Amino acid sequence: MRAPRWLDLPPAGAAVLALALFGAILAAAGKHPLQAYYDTATYVLASRQGFTELFVRMGPLVMTALAVAIPARVGLFNVGGEGQLYMGALFATGAALYAPLNGPLLLAATILAGFAGGALWALVPALMRIAGVANEAITTLLLNYVAPLAVAYQIFGPWRSPESSSYPQSHRIAEAARLPSLPTTRVHAGLAIAAACLALCVYVFNRTRWGLEMRAIGANRLAAAHLGLPVRTYLVVAMALGGGAAGLAGMAEVSAIQGRLVSEVSPGYGYMGFLVAWLAAGNVSRIVSMALLFAVISAVGDVLQITQRVPYAVVNILMAAILFSVLCVGPGARRR
Amino acid sequence: MAVPLIEARNILKRFGDLVANEVESFDVRTGEVHALLGENGAGKTTLSKILYGFYRPDAGEIRVAGTNVSFASPADARAAGIGMVFQEFSLVPALSVLDNVALFMPDLPRVPDRRALRVRIATAAKALGLELPLDAPVAALPVAAQQKVEILKQVLAGMRVILLDEPTKVLAPQECSGLFATVASLRAAGYGIVLITHKLHEALAAADRISVMRKGRMTATLAARAATREALLAVMFEGSPPQSAAAPAAQAIGAPLLQLDRVSTSGGAHATPLQGIDLGLREGEILGVAGIAGSGQRELGALVAGHERPRRGRKLFRGGDASRWTAGRMRRAGVGFVPENPLEAACVGELSVAENFALGERRYASGLGFNWTRVHDDAEAAFARLGVARPSLNAPVRTLSGGNVQRVVMARELGRAPRLVVAIYPTRGLDARSAQAVRDALRARASEGAAVLLMSEELEELFELADRVVVLRSGMLAGEFSRGSYSIEAVGAAMVQSDARTALA
Amino acid sequence: MTWTLVAATLAASVAAGTSLLYAALGETLGERAGIINLGVEGVMLVGAACACAVASSTGSPYLGMLAGAVAGVVASAPFAYAVVDRAANQLASGLSLLFLGFGASALIGNPFVGALIPPLPSVSLRMPLGEGAAAVRVDFLVAAALPLAGLVAWLLMGTRWGLRLRAVGENPVAAFAAGCNRRRLQYEALAIAGMLSGLAGAHVALGVAYTWAEFMTGGRGFIAIALVMFARWNAWWAVAGALLFGAAEAAQLQLQAGGVDVSPFLMNMAPYLLTLALLPFTGKAGRLAAPAALGRPYRGVE
């Protein structure tokens, strides 16, 4: 059975449909969706904080989307962006606190450690996958639950700062290990890192032999292997690079935003990044617009939490509604 | 005379402008085997799919037991007692024989009584002389037994007419007698059988009546007893039987190129492991590999091309040990690979023809990207050399027809001027002209000094091309024949059992 | 380790294993029909939230349990439509369901944060091991777990419906030729799976936690998916797996209670790491047992 033609909506139409659905659900729960949407619009467009916050969130969203998009290029499903982000934060904090370095070298070590943490966390599923023992979609998901526990272990245990006993967190990291921010805002250099990574991906995917070979592997692994491409290497490297991208997002949260390791490093950026990448549907440059969309959605979540007194997690319904709208009625539903 | 079980009258079927079928009359009676004979592309399959409700005719009528019917789908045809056994079996490999048969029974109760079900199925099987292990998963059975499961399925599903589409294609010559015995018992039990085939001797041996099709039309229907080989050939080809190609010019067979030394492979879930293969291949030589489907042909190709490594034994290429070489290294050393399923195993459907030419080829590297001009030039030259029409180089391969995909892979692999070509069923699915172009290209490549390892389902093709034919059976070499000692009987015997040669002698 | 500790762990593993078993049995049915659902966790959360809401509002834990079951079916509906009728990617659709579950459960459960939830009535069965108070709390869902596993096994292997379902999951083309209604079978399997996942969530709320907390199922839905592979798509093996995985979860609580000095965070990793560690051992054999069409959208004619 096929859905009728009029249901084949463009993505913008899917977003509107999702907003309407979400509004209906909120209304049914006794909230005021129109007020919430209006509040969000004024917050985002008319307040300095609301506007700059979009850019604060786009950085990690782009990075976690790349964490999905790079492995997806070779046909792997990385659903573990959240865990990789936490591991990046953990490793970056470790380097910032304990690396015997100073000045820019300490910052470099922090950045590298963040990348390495995420990459290593993605390497486990990648190796299990090429050994043929477990599907990476499941292993990456499972590891999402382990990484925050590792962070919690450190900040409740060895790295715990004595300053605060009620709200556990690590020691503050050195100023030299902090990514610079724009004055008087929370917009930080992580956004520049994200832009650079994105540009690099666009170039590699579209202009190089590696890009074509990744596409070949993603589309037909068997033929690619028969043509002599090093398929396993590509799978492992793509997964590690993806994990590293998520790790960099975690590093930036610690190094630029918090200045220390806390238990809630991310409000689900890893999962949101999956959706961003999915909606971008293999088109890397569309990640930017989709990341913006999700930055706005998370602003909806903030506004809901403050003005409508519902948990932030409720905004997940809006995300699901958008994704289901695209999956179910979008023109590309059958291709995705 | 009794009313036919199924009858087609004045059938017309078009695909676009092409008239695929224009058939005045075709019928099958109770207790009759009616052979539908014709070359590939003569319209046999189209007609049978119309009878089976898969296609709807543009004009004409179909009567089942004298009543006009209009089948909207195969389900309607099955409800009317018309069943079809395709070349690709419609079985669920992981399920047992019992489950597969039960699945198709229209009167299966919601909660089947396993014991009663087993008795019923076993009884039906025994009546037809079919011996099948009811609890074994179908995947574990040889192809001939799977075919029996298909036939048993039709019988228990209450079919009265059974269409068999090229049923011997998947069988070794010696297994065919088993099939024809089954067909005979079906006939004796009053079933109507349509035997679709392009092999004259099968039609003559098994059928009561023979209908010959040519270019979509029914050219003759005659009683098998009155038919002769010559008469049938005349109607099949209108007096011009296909020219067998000229015998190959004597080729200079050169130095040893590939040597397999007691090679065994481990196989896998659906693979036939090779066992103790000893094989040599010289420059300029075409080595044919015969065997029934699934005897290790694919595995031998994979081993030579470097997709699989030997578990035991050695593979030597140009005198050096290549046992551990990767597929990429074998390719760079000059091995070309034309698989049976090119869209799955040899090219990436999402990429364009040109991109498929460029993949994995270091010589096209230019900076971090490719030299596309050179790729296009080389691709055009490769198609010209093969002598086939060139599809658009910018079209995604997935949008091409199956024959064109095959041509793309053939052009690419031969265009690399390989030292060794592994070709698995390279003419399958091609029209006669393209098949001939492929055969000519392989022969030309060999005369330029390349070795060719050719697997084919058509013994005639092997006999025409190969300097030597080896036979694979259950992953082992079961015979070797040199040009001059080829015969269908001898090679066929080796395909089934190794001692058959002495038995025949 | 004393016998008392072992007994306490076993007792706790029954409670922890019950919700795993319900979710795993549902997922087994879905996967046998060729559909992998990564959103089990989300469905469990919705089931738990609705069970809390209804049980707390009406005071009846049994009504809460029913609400969990119904909510599981309703929550699975968009996923089922996407994968069955729209041939959408199953992994992406499953994750969408996961997010839906996160959000919907947070919205539904929010008014009941801190509320007292009436637990499912239960009887305590003393463990015949060691001394002390180790006892298995047997409520309705615990008692029904084994018969349910038997029912699922019978449905799959003993009925025409199960035969057709397995055929659809193995070879949709052949199943279609056999006259199986793929859409209907897959919808039915996913509806039952949704119901069982909803009940799994309800048991976490009404049989273990007696309160609502966001994300309270804590990844059990993912463990259930791993468990299905571990059990090789077999309902009886799922029982053994659920007890084993439940024991891993229970052991940490017992070790802590027993005064063993291990960080609770490291202990909490145990079920996930155990699943990861076991996957390689189920994988090799499991791949042969896996439904052949699992995860592949059916794009053929119907």
Side-chain angles (χ1 to χ4, degrees):
Chain A
M1 193 197 84
R2 286 201 81 123
R5 195 94 256 166
W6 60 267
L7 272 175
D8 282 357
L9 298 173
V16 171
L17 179 66
L19 280 174
L21 270 174
F22 183 56
I25 290 169
L26 281 185
K31 309 297 175 186
H32 305 94
L34 291 178
Q35 184 64 41
Y37 291 157
Y38 177 76
D39 289 345
T40 309
T42 47
Y43 172 66
V44 165
L45 295 175
S47 87
R48 178 188 166 83
Q49 196 214 343
F51 186 69
T52 57
E53 198 64 14
L54 291 182
F55 295 99
V56 175
R57 302 217 165 151
M58 274 179 73
L61 284 172
V62 166
M63 293 305 279
T64 50
L66 288 179
V68 181
I70 299 171
R73 204 75 176 174
V74 293
L76 291 181
F77 252 86
N78 180 15
V79 207
E82 187 77 358
Q84 290 145 13
L85 184 150
Y86 270 84
M87 269 338 231
L90 184 71
F91 273 52
T93 310
L97 288 178
Y98 298 109
L101 296 167
N102 290 311
L105 279 181
L106 184 63
L107 181 59
T110 304
I111 293 173
L112 276 179
F115 181 87
L120 284 174
W121 210 234
L123 213 51
V124 176
L127 292 176
M128 289 179 85
R129 170 62 196 255
I130 66 162
V133 294
N135 181 299
E136 77 282 357
I138 297 200
T139 47
T140 49
L141 263 171
L142 281 171
L143 286 173
N144 281 344
Y145 284 84
V146 180
L149 290 170
V151 167
Y153 169 74
Q154 289 295 351
I155 60 179
F156 277 89
W159 293 356
R160 181 169 192 160
S161 161
E163 289 167 27
S164 57
S165 49
S166 59
Y167 187 69
Q169 47 192 9
S170 77
H171 293 281
R172 184 158 275 284
I173 63 173
E175 274 308 308
R178 303 215 41 183
L179 278 175
S181 297
L182 285 179
T184 74
T185 69
R186 305 207 308 158
V187 179
H188 56 80
L191 189 63
I193 295 178
C197 289
L198 190 71
L200 190 64
C201 280
V202 171
Y203 175 75
V204 169
F205 285 0
N206 298 327
R207 297 268 168 229
T208 69
R209 291 200 300 285
W210 301 318
L212 186 69
E213 296 186 351
M214 288 174 81
R215 263 180 78 197
I217 291 167
N220 187 343
R221 197 168 300 161
L222 182 70
H226 287 176
L227 288 171
L229 305 185
V231 174
R232 288 165 162 244
T233 310
Y234 265 108
L235 296 186
V236 171
V237 170
M239 198 72 174
L241 289 177
L248 285 177
M251 177 280 300
E253 291 303 298
V254 168
S255 168
I257 305 274
Q258 308 284 357
R260 56 186 5 143
L261 189 59
V262 295
S263 61
E264 298 271 317
V265 179
S266 144
Y269 284 135
Y271 297 109
M272 284 191 262
F274 180 87
L275 291 181
V276 169
W278 195 258
L279 289 174
N283 183 345
V284 181
S285 36
R286 264 184 80 189
I287 283 179
V288 177
S289 51
M290 292 302 143
L292 180 62
L293 173 68
F294 275 79
V296 173
I297 291 176
S298 78
V300 174
D302 288 339
V303 169
L304 282 177
Q305 195 172 10
I306 296 160
T307 65
Q308 305 278 327
R309 295 171 187 284
V310 295
Y312 177 84
V314 169
V315 79
N316 283 309
I317 298 177
L318 179 54
M319 292 183 204
I322 289 181
L323 203 64
F324 272 126
S325 301
V326 173
L327 282 169
C328 290
V329 302
R334 280 175 177 268
R335 274 185 288 110
R336 286 159 203 262
Chain B
M1 173 169 265
V3 179
L5 288 172
I6 187 168
E7 189 177 11
R9 292 251 170 241
N10 302 319
I11 295 293
L12 178 71
K13 178 69 188 173
R14 294 174 198 272
F15 294 116
D17 291 336
L18 178 83
V19 176
N21 256 197
E22 200 170 352
V23 173
E24 275 174 35
S25 170
F26 179 80
D27 63 58
V28 190
R29 300 172 196 147
T30 306
E32 178 191 51
V33 179
H34 192 158
L36 197 48
L37 183 69
E39 264 194 298
N40 287 335
K44 308 179 301 266
T45 303
T46 305
L47 177 60
S48 53
K49 284 187 172 174
I50 288 172
L51 297 176
Y52 185 54
F54 197 88
Y55 296 135
R56 301 185 81 161
D58 298 320
E61 54 193 39
I62 294 173
R63 291 186 208 135
V64 172
T67 317
N68 269 330
V69 291
S70 167
F71 295 148
S73 73
D76 289 353
R78 280 193 299 267
I82 316 298
M84 184 157 177
V85 176
F86 290 93
Q87 292 170 37
E88 294 277 314
F89 299 148
S90 174
L91 295 168
V92 184
L95 299 187
S96 68
V97 172
L98 190 82
D99 281 348
N100 266 286
V101 174
L103 188 63
F104 272 75
M105 287 167 49
D107 55 346
L108 187 71
R110 273 178 189 283
V111 182
D113 175 349
R114 302 286 288 187
R115 194 171 301 166
L117 191 63
R118 168 183 299 275
V119 169
R120 194 175 150 199
I121 292 173
T123 311
K126 205 171 172 192
L128 291 172
L130 299 175
E131 281 183 24
L132 290 166
L134 293 186
D135 294 311
V138 161
L141 301 182
V143 176
Q146 295 188 6
Q147 191 174 52
K148 289 176 182 168
V149 177
E150 271 285 358
I151 292 173
L152 183 60
K153 229 170 70 177
Q154 308 295 335
V155 168
L156 277 148
M159 301 301 143
R160 298 303 303 159
V161 174
I162 301 176
L163 304 149
L164 300 171
D165 186 16
E166 304 263 3
T168 57
K169 202 170 177 184
V170 291
L171 303 179
Q174 277 67 12
E175 289 170 320
C176 295
S177 57
L179 170 71
F180 290 128
T182 307
V183 167
S185 42
L186 284 170
R187 176 174 61 179
Y191 291 90
I193 310 294
V194 179
L195 176 68
I196 300 153
T197 182
H198 63 268
K199 293 179 180 161
L200 278 174
H201 63 92
E202 287 177 4
L204 284 167
D208 299 301
R209 278 191 299 161
I210 302 174
S211 285
V212 181
M213 288 192 79
R214 186 165 174 274
K215 294 183 178 167
R217 290 168 195 275
M218 197 70 80
T219 48
T221 298
L222 24 137
R225 259 168 305 162
T228 63
R229 190 180 155 82
E230 290 68 33
L232 286 174
L233 273 177
V235 279
M236 267 175 91
F237 300 105
E238 269 186 355
S240 59
Q243 297 295 318
S244 43
Q251 287 158 8
I253 306 251
L257 185 72
L258 175 81
Q259 183 69 42
L260 299 181
D261 241 1
R262 307 220 132 267
V263 172
S264 301
T265 61
S266 38
H270 299 289
T272 309
L274 299 173
Q275 295 170 41
I277 302 282
D278 267 319
L279 204 60
L281 188 52
R282 291 168 170 271
E283 290 173 356
E285 185 183 29
I286 301 183
L287 176 63
V289 180
I292 56 174
S295 297
Q297 295 97 321
R298 190 182 304 153
E299 292 74 13
L300 180 62
L303 172 81
V304 171
H307 308 157
E308 298 289 337
R309 290 176 180 177
R311 187 167 56 89
R312 273 204 292 275
R314 285 195 313 162
K315 175 174 79 173
L316 301 172
F317 189 71
R318 304 182 79 206
D321 189 342
S323 304
R324 314 295 300 167
W325 287 14
T326 61
R329 185 146 179 218
M330 290 304 293
R331 261 183 95 70
R332 288 192 292 279
V335 176
F337 179 67
V338 181
E340 54 183 327
N341 49 346
L343 199 53
E344 283 94 56
C347 52
V348 181
E350 280 72 13
L351 301 184
S352 73
V353 174
E355 285 169 331
N356 270 287
F357 266 79
L359 268 182
E361 297 288 354
R362 289 179 183 175
R363 64 203 150 110
Y364 295 130
S366 159
L368 292 177
F370 288 95
N371 180 348
W372 287 114
T373 321
R374 204 174 147 206
V375 174
H376 278 250
D377 290 349
D378 278 11
E380 280 177 21
F383 280 105
R385 259 174 70 105
L386 186 61
V388 297
R390 173 176 63 79
S392 161
L393 293 182
N394 293 322
V397 169
R398 193 170 291 296
T399 62
L400 306 179
S401 70
N404 262 334
V405 175
Q406 183 80 340
R407 284 185 271 268
V408 166
V409 170
M410 204 71 192
R412 182 186 68 194
E413 297 302 292
L414 294 183
R416 302 172 72 241
R419 288 198 173 89
L420 168 64
V421 183
V422 178
I424 307 180
Y425 310 139
T427 58
R428 190 197 259 178
L430 293 185
D431 59 81
R433 183 197 301 238
S434 296
Q436 197 53 49
V438 163
R439 284 193 281 265
D440 290 345
L442 287 174
R443 193 156 29 207
R445 204 49 230 145
S447 66
E448 289 164 17
V452 177
L453 184 66
L454 173 68
M455 331 258 173
S456 177
E457 314 173 292
E458 304 286 336
L459 289 181
E460 291 86 352
E461 181 172 275
L462 292 177
F463 295 169
E464 178 195 331
L465 284 177
D467 300 299
R468 224 163 18 112
V469 170
V470 295
V471 175
L472 273 177
R473 185 173 56 82
S474 308
M476 286 181 281
L477 282 185
E480 179 167 343
F481 301 83
S482 52
R483 182 169 280 284
S485 70
Y486 298 157
S487 77
I488 302 255
E489 291 73 24
V491 174
M495 284 161 68
V496 189
Q497 47 186 159
S498 53
D499 57 345
R501 253 185 307 167
T502 47
L504 279 176
Chain C
M1 274 271 204
T2 64
W3 283 115
T4 314
L5 194 57
V6 173
T9 304
L10 279 177
S13 66
V14 171
T18 299
S19 61
L20 286 179
L21 181 61
Y22 276 80
L25 288 174
E27 182 69 9
T28 299
L29 282 175
E31 292 195 17
R32 282 283 195 164
I35 291 167
I36 183 164
N37 179 2
L38 292 186
V40 178
E41 175 83 357
V43 181
M44 283 177 70
L45 278 169
V46 174
C50 289
C52 283
V54 171
S56 172
S57 315
T58 63
S60 160
Y62 287 108
L63 280 181
M65 189 181 85
L66 271 181
V70 172
V73 179
V74 173
S76 304
F79 169 79
Y81 175 67
V83 298
V84 175
D85 268 335
R86 299 293 298 186
N89 180 296
Q90 294 183 6
L91 297 181
S93 306
L95 284 174
S96 309
L97 181 58
L98 179 68
F99 292 117
L100 181 66
F102 284 169
S105 63
L107 187 64
I108 295 164
N110 187 43
F112 302 93
V113 172
L116 272 181
I117 312 291
L120 279 173
S122 64
V123 292
S124 286
L125 294 182
R126 286 287 308 275
M127 295 291 290
L129 268 179
E131 312 137 25
V136 185
R137 279 179 37 90
V138 179
D139 57 37
F140 175 78
L141 287 173
V142 173
L146 268 188
L148 179 73
L151 182 69
V152 169
W154 176 75
L155 270 178
L156 272 175
M157 306 309 291
T159 68
R160 183 179 71 187
W161 184 82
L163 175 61
R164 291 181 170 175
L165 192 78
R166 286 181 289 141
V168 162
E170 292 283 353
N171 184 348
V173 180
F176 171 63
C180 303
N181 187 336
R182 177 193 64 89
R183 287 184 60 231
R184 185 170 162 186
L185 284 163
Q186 289 186 331
Y187 272 123
E188 285 167 351
L190 289 179
I192 300 175
M195 182 185 80
L196 294 181
S197 295
L199 284 175
H203 191 256
V204 174
L206 305 174
V208 178
Y210 319 126
T211 177
W212 165 253
E214 265 181 55
F215 303 110
M216 71 183 293
T217 51
R220 285 183 182 83
F222 295 117
I223 295 181
I225 295 169
L227 175 53
V228 172
M229 296 177 193
F230 173 79
R232 302 168 85 183
W233 295 270
N234 176 309
W236 289 116
W237 277 105
V239 176
L243 277 177
L244 180 68
F245 285 59
E249 192 185 319
Q252 43 159 312
L253 296 173
Q254 297 306 319
L255 284 179
Q256 276 165 252
V260 182
D261 187 23
V262 183
S263 161
F265 303 108
L266 297 185
M267 294 298 304
N268 276 327
M269 294 179 189
Y272 307 103
L273 295 181
L274 178 68
T275 306
L276 270 179
L278 285 177
L279 274 175
F281 299 100
T282 60
K284 277 249 155 53
R287 242 176 316 158
L288 294 177
L294 184 61
R296 299 198 192 135
Y298 181 65
R299 289 159 201 271
V301 283
E302 271 184 345

